[in-house]
Amino acid sequence: MVEVITPNPAVRYGIGLTEKEKEVLKQLGKITRHEIEATEVNDMPPRYRLACQSFIRDEDIMVAFGGDETLPARKPAMSIAAGIFAGGIKIGSVDEFLAYAIKVEDEAAIHFDDLAEAMAGCGNDEVADLFRKLSTYSRLHRDEVKALLGDQDVTALLPKEHVWPDLVTPSRPRYGPGNARLSRVDAMRAALDGEKLGSEFYHHIAATSPDKEIRGIAGDFAKEEQTHVAILEQWIERETALAEA
């Protein structure tokens, strides 16, 4: 976290804060409701920002770093959407949870492959490469989950679509890649939607499972998914900034 000081208050440019950045700044007590409203409505940046989320534009600024601060001890923040899983899924064992994770990662990889194909079809090779990498990460995570199971066959434990509250695996977004005319930002948002749903599933299990071991594994998976979310949010912010330049 850094403090951004603008010598000329009349020249201030802001890039919209992500939900993750707002949450971190709120937990640290470094952003007010008024500042959130000002950045959303009037493009006025707050005084404090996360350096990794900030874009420097055509302005003079001074940046002050006061040292690392530790977030208050609290459970991982879950979006309201995470509640869709409440009461819809009951996981009775570690093996069953790992089978669910395999399904989630498989579906995520397929979705990223679809997005990569759509982006390659309209010449957006850079974004297509990003989605191929994310697809690879999902498959690597799936293989790591399978390794935890050893030689055990969990085919019978793999969840069917009807077990999910929305009748679809959470890593599958509510809107898909569509066609080759999909814009770069829309494709990224489609990917982000799926990654957030997958992250929310793991967060929910980590917060609600009565089994301590399941909670621990789900928490680790949630952190990994959040890394993908952060990558996509940064790409979307970059694309948005370039479009506004």
Side-chain angles (χ1 to χ4, degrees):
M1 183 187 67
V2 296
E3 181 181 5
V4 180
I5 303 163
T6 307
N8 183 359
V11 182
R12 296 175 65 195
Y13 299 104
I15 298 292
L17 291 101
T18 65
E19 292 301 317
K20 182 179 179 182
E21 184 175 12
K22 290 178 193 175
E23 180 64 28
V24 172
L25 292 175
K26 282 192 290 186
Q27 289 185 37
L28 290 172
K30 296 297 185 179
I31 192 169
T32 65
R33 185 185 299 273
H34 173 73
E35 287 177 313
I36 292 175
E37 181 179 348
T39 191
E40 291 177 342
V41 177
N42 299 318
D43 247 8
M44 295 298 288
R47 180 179 176 184
Y48 292 95
R49 296 296 306 268
L50 300 185
C52 62
Q53 300 289 313
S54 302
F55 291 84
I56 308 304
R57 303 180 71 178
D58 188 16
E59 60 180 329
D60 293 324
I61 64 170
M62 293 184 290
V63 178
F65 175 62
D68 291 325
E69 293 193 31
T70 303
L71 292 175
R74 57 178 293 178
K75 294 181 179 179
M78 289 193 296
S79 75
I80 295 174
I84 65 174
F85 299 107
I89 297 175
K90 293 182 180 180
I91 295 177
S93 69
V94 172
D95 290 347
E96 186 178 9
F97 170 68
L98 294 177
Y100 272 68
I102 289 171
K103 182 68 172 180
V104 169
E105 298 304 326
D106 263 337
E107 291 285 337
I110 292 170
H111 177 54
F112 285 133
D113 285 340
D114 289 343
L115 288 166
E117 185 177 349
M119 287 293 93
C122 55
N124 289 331
D125 293 331
E126 184 181 15
V127 180
D129 287 342
L130 168 67
F131 291 146
R132 292 189 187 101
K133 288 179 182 177
L134 291 172
S135 174
T136 299
Y137 295 155
S138 293
R139 288 191 168 90
L140 287 173
H141 192 197
R142 176 205 60 194
D143 292 342
E144 290 170 0
V145 175
K146 287 183 175 180
L148 293 175
L149 289 162
D151 296 331
Q152 184 175 353
D153 184 4
V154 293
T155 303
L157 296 177
L158 291 174
K160 307 297 183 184
E161 276 68 19
H162 70 271
V163 306
W164 305 105
D166 284 351
L167 303 180
V168 64
T169 308
S171 54
R172 280 283 183 175
R174 294 182 178 87
Y175 56 98
N179 54 53
R181 292 190 298 274
L182 190 72
S183 73
R184 289 162 62 99
V185 172
D186 285 343
M188 292 178 196
R189 286 173 177 158
L192 179 61
D193 183 52
E195 285 300 291
K196 282 185 173 180
L197 289 172
S199 178
E200 286 159 359
F201 166 66
Y202 290 134
H203 271 155
H204 178 75
I205 298 300
T208 63
S209 175
D211 188 295
K212 182 178 180 180
E213 186 176 2
I214 293 176
R215 291 198 305 271
I217 298 172
D220 290 339
F221 288 0
K223 291 177 184 177
E224 185 162 340
E225 291 300 306
Q226 196 58 43
T227 300
H228 297 173
V229 168
I231 290 172
L232 287 163
E233 286 179 338
Q234 290 173 14
W235 272 65
I236 290 171
E237 286 199 26
R238 191 188 76 168
E239 289 292 318
T240 303
L242 289 174
E244 293 175 351

